[in-house]
Amino acid sequence: MRTAAGQSKLFRMKAIQRAIVLVFFATAAYAQDTTRMDQVVQAYVQSKTFMGAVLVARGADVILTKGYGSANLEWGIPNAPTTKFRLGSITKQFTAASILLLEERGKLKIDDPIKQYLTDAPAAWDRITIYNLLTHTSGIPNFTSLPDYRTLQPFDSPIAKTIAVFRDKPLDFQPGEKMSYSNSGYLVLGHLIETLTGGSYERFVTDNIFTPLAMKDSGYDSNKAILARRAAGYMPSTDGPVNAGFIHMSIPHAAGALYSTTEDLLRWEQGLFGGKVISPASLVKMTTPFKNDYAFGLVVQIAGGRKVIQHGGGIDGFNTFLAYYPDDKLTVAVLANINGQTPNEIATKLAELVHTGAVQLSSERKAITLPVATLSKYVGTYEVAPGVDMMIRLDGDHLTTQLSGQPQFPIVAESETRFFLKVVDAQVEFLKDESGAATDAILHQNGRDLKARRTSATAAPPPQHKAITVPATTLARYVGAYQMRPNVELSITLDGDQLMAQLTGQPKFPIFAESDTLFFFKVAEATLDFQQDGSGVVTAVRLRQGPINELGPRK
């Protein structure tokens, strides 16, 4: 379900002419682009970070539609364009459109307080409007981040029962004050749809969206139903993909319970932006961001100089990404049945390829050697945002970069001013004034260009931790799995006398004791604080990294 607003990751033929001879040239260009697109996707398939389905289309003209890897590893069934995937939070745009349809029919107004329709709502919700719920500005805590979410996840739960988990909790902030991504708000919207229509959320989206748009391969996912061509979901591990954990599909509801195919999602984009679902006035509302680029179930940003309307999704075993570029009616849909952020990266590269005719993979970048004197000119502190700095340090004959609370990584020169990371697909470019002094750094990643002003010619060293020796018997007590987020698990293992930590989709890293219960990473400025009950049984772990402070119950 979750996918952050902060999700900070984005995407990228030629015009078809009327003259027949130019149509042949355009067709040839499509074929060439398709070959390169396939190469881009295959790079992720070969690195074992992607299996799923991909579609790229300009208007109704499909450029690429293909399945990759397996829909079911145990049976060796391949993915295809007709494979059905859980969408996770892409569901939210269907929920938002449903709310706008009800407004058009006079059933509600988005500026109305939610309590006008859900009269038993707690007093703390008095000032929360439907608009606040749509834009994640209600202040209602995100129920999938609550410590007891794991105990709720496997069981059938009516929507009112699920809402009861968070309805009486204090608001995180006053409505409208700021934006904080909350699946809870979209559960409340789903409950509102059912209250006003007297039917189920599933029936409403089927009758009012899927059926009119001929989206025959889309619906509300079910743990019981036999669904033809439904993909199984997986999670990465050091030993390869493993079956994803179970979630009862009554839990995500209007926040993340729908399934679809890449081809049906093209029908959705054409219908939504073609005036077949909601009115032009409603579409403007739906695509006008309020805070943090978030509109109604959609993120609206500028990427590569182009407007993009997008959203991702993540649920146990699945990650998804759907992007629409209105200027040239480009749709990019990437659905994966293995957890990880690859769909976002693939979508960004494919869109860039369509728009610019070229894209470069990390494996294709060529490193050069620069004198230490040149590298030294870039050392310093660069302000990415208030409270978030990028430190550029000189380590021997190369530079390193570290964002606040993030790991420190080496960066490799590909020109005198442009460097790239090998661990992620990102580049750092330095800007200089007339005297040759560095003034700014630009972080290029996922189609976004983030400019950071140089605030100091020095960079503070990473915080120092003092490691102590802890008996292996103590370390062994922490071994296990901890549920950090709905589809993110922290695995703690013991290799000899070394405790190791691994988050879903990430490498395994050693952690070092500062005390019997507090451990730190050397690869990142992050700590793990193991929690115990009165009898000394380990019950949870708290991860602190920069602004992140999350408690993961032990599974």
Side-chain angles (χ1 to χ4, degrees):
M1 280 181 285
R2 180 178 172 82
T3 179
Q7 309 169 284
S8 347
K9 302 167 183 172
L10 306 164
F11 352 75
R12 256 178 260 277
M13 244 153 154
K14 298 183 178 186
I16 298 177
Q17 306 295 329
R18 294 180 181 175
I20 293 178
V21 64
L22 291 184
V23 169
F24 284 111
F25 280 111
T27 302
Y30 281 175
Q32 182 181 5
D33 285 347
T34 301
T35 299
R36 180 56 173 159
M37 287 178 184
D38 187 56
Q39 290 175 348
V40 169
V41 182
Q42 288 290 357
Y44 291 93
V45 175
Q46 291 165 12
S47 68
K48 302 186 185 304
T49 57
F50 178 72
M51 54 186 185
V54 175
L55 179 142
V56 180
R58 177 170 273 159
D61 191 351
V62 176
I63 305 170
L64 173 70
T65 178
K66 187 175 178 179
Y68 297 86
S70 296
N72 188 296
L73 288 169
E74 291 162 328
W75 284 92
I77 299 170
N79 277 314
T82 55
T83 301
K84 298 169 183 173
F85 299 82
R86 289 179 178 174
L87 296 180
S89 287
I90 289 179
T91 296
K92 290 180 172 67
Q93 55 197 274
F94 293 93
T95 302
S98 298
I99 291 292
L100 289 167
L101 280 172
L102 291 175
E103 183 178 52
E104 290 176 7
R105 296 169 188 175
K107 299 287 187 179
L108 58 81
K109 293 181 181 179
I110 61 171
D111 292 324
D112 287 339
I114 187 64
K115 202 165 185 178
Q116 182 173 326
Y117 306 98
L118 303 179
T119 55
D120 63 340
W125 294 13
D126 285 355
R127 292 177 50 207
I128 296 175
T129 64
I130 297 171
Y131 181 87
N132 291 142
L133 297 173
L134 288 164
T135 56
H136 296 297
T137 57
S138 69
I140 298 175
N142 181 22
F143 84 106
T144 58
S145 297
L146 298 177
D148 54 355
Y149 172 70
R150 182 178 62 87
T151 62
L152 174 73
Q153 191 174 357
F155 302 108
D156 186 359
S157 178
I159 185 65
K161 181 179 178 181
T162 311
I163 290 174
V165 172
F166 58 81
R167 57 164 284 144
D168 294 323
K169 293 189 179 296
L171 297 183
D172 289 340
F173 51 85
Q174 289 303 305
E177 182 178 280
K178 59 182 180 179
M179 184 269 189
S180 181
Y181 196 88
S182 176
N183 288 302
S184 303
Y186 272 76
L187 258 61
V188 177
L189 290 171
H191 185 37
L192 175 62
I193 291 168
E194 294 185 344
T195 299
L196 294 178
T197 64
S200 68
Y201 170 79
E202 175 182 6
R203 175 51 53 197
F204 189 86
V205 294
T206 298
D207 290 348
N208 293 276
I209 296 176
F210 297 151
T211 299
L213 295 181
M215 296 174 65
K216 297 179 181 179
D217 289 326
S218 302
Y220 190 112
D221 202 7
S222 165
N223 302 101
K224 295 180 179 179
I226 304 300
L227 291 178
R229 306 186 310 279
R230 174 168 55 181
Y234 300 93
M235 296 174 64
S237 78
T238 53
D239 299 320
V242 297
N243 288 309
F246 181 83
I247 179 171
H248 198 284
M249 294 310 292
S250 62
I251 301 298
H253 203 262
L258 300 182
Y259 70 84
S260 191
T261 66
T262 53
E263 295 183 340
D264 262 8
L265 289 178
L266 175 60
R267 296 182 180 96
W268 161 246
E269 296 287 58
Q270 289 179 315
L272 178 64
F273 294 101
K276 297 179 181 179
V277 180
I278 54 178
S279 69
S282 291
L283 183 62
V284 169
K285 291 181 182 180
M286 186 171 175
T287 57
T288 300
F290 178 40
K291 292 182 183 293
N292 294 9
D293 298 328
Y294 205 91
F296 294 1
L298 293 166
V299 178
V300 183
Q301 295 173 317
I302 301 298
R306 296 175 176 84
K307 183 178 182 180
V308 58
I309 302 169
Q310 50 89 0
H311 209 287
I315 194 167
D316 301 69
F318 298 85
N319 276 85
T320 58
F321 204 83
L322 178 63
Y324 182 78
Y325 294 78
D327 293 344
D328 57 352
K329 299 181 179 179
L330 177 69
T331 295
V332 184
V334 183
L335 306 180
N337 58 321
I338 186 166
N339 285 132
Q341 295 305 314
T342 297
N344 185 332
E345 296 179 16
I346 291 175
T348 301
K349 289 193 175 300
L350 296 182
E352 180 183 356
L353 183 56
V354 172
H355 287 136
T356 68
V359 68
Q360 190 173 25
L361 299 173
S362 294
S363 59
E364 297 169 341
R365 296 186 180 276
K366 304 298 182 185
I368 65 171
T369 301
L370 293 178
V372 171
T374 300
L375 299 177
S376 300
K377 295 179 180 179
Y378 304 128
V379 171
T381 303
Y382 297 78
E383 186 181 45
V384 176
V388 180
D389 290 324
M390 178 168 64
M391 301 293 182
I392 301 295
R393 304 184 181 99
L394 182 64
D395 184 4
D397 60 354
H398 68 274
L399 292 177
T400 65
T401 181
Q402 182 178 29
L403 284 171
S404 298
Q406 297 295 316
Q408 178 174 259
F409 294 118
I411 54 176
V412 182
E414 58 181 342
S415 75
E416 185 174 332
T417 58
R418 193 176 177 101
F419 296 71
F420 66 94
L421 287 81
K422 292 184 177 181
V423 293
V424 294
D425 189 11
Q427 301 81 47
V428 178
E429 182 180 6
F430 295 99
L431 305 182
K432 299 186 288 187
D433 60 20
E434 294 179 356
S435 69
T439 58
D440 302 270
I442 302 176
L443 176 62
H444 304 283
Q445 187 174 17
N446 290 330
R448 297 192 69 186
D449 301 325
L450 193 60
K451 191 173 183 179
R453 181 176 58 87
R454 191 187 196 197
T455 58
S456 173
T458 61
Q464 299 299 309
H465 298 273
K466 184 178 180 179
I468 66 171
T469 300
V470 174
T473 52
T474 301
L475 299 178
R477 295 169 51 217
Y478 304 130
V479 170
Y482 300 81
Q483 195 73 50
M484 304 308 298
R485 292 181 183 176
N487 60 332
V488 178
E489 182 178 290
L490 176 67
S491 175
I492 302 296
T493 56
L494 185 60
D495 292 355
D497 60 355
Q498 179 63 63
L499 208 58
M500 307 292 290
Q502 183 178 27
L503 279 169
T504 298
Q506 295 188 16
K508 183 187 290 187
F509 294 113
I511 54 175
F512 303 88
E514 281 190 271
S515 73
D516 280 353
T517 58
L518 182 63
F519 291 73
F520 65 93
F521 292 82
K522 290 185 178 179
V523 296
E525 182 48 39
T527 61
L528 294 175
D529 190 0
F530 291 95
Q531 312 291 303
Q532 305 177 61
D533 62 17
S535 62
V537 175
V538 178
T539 58
V541 65
R542 184 171 296 281
L543 169 66
R544 294 185 177 91
Q545 184 178 9
I548 298 172
N549 187 340
E550 295 187 359
L551 186 69
R554 192 175 194 175
K555 297 181 70 174

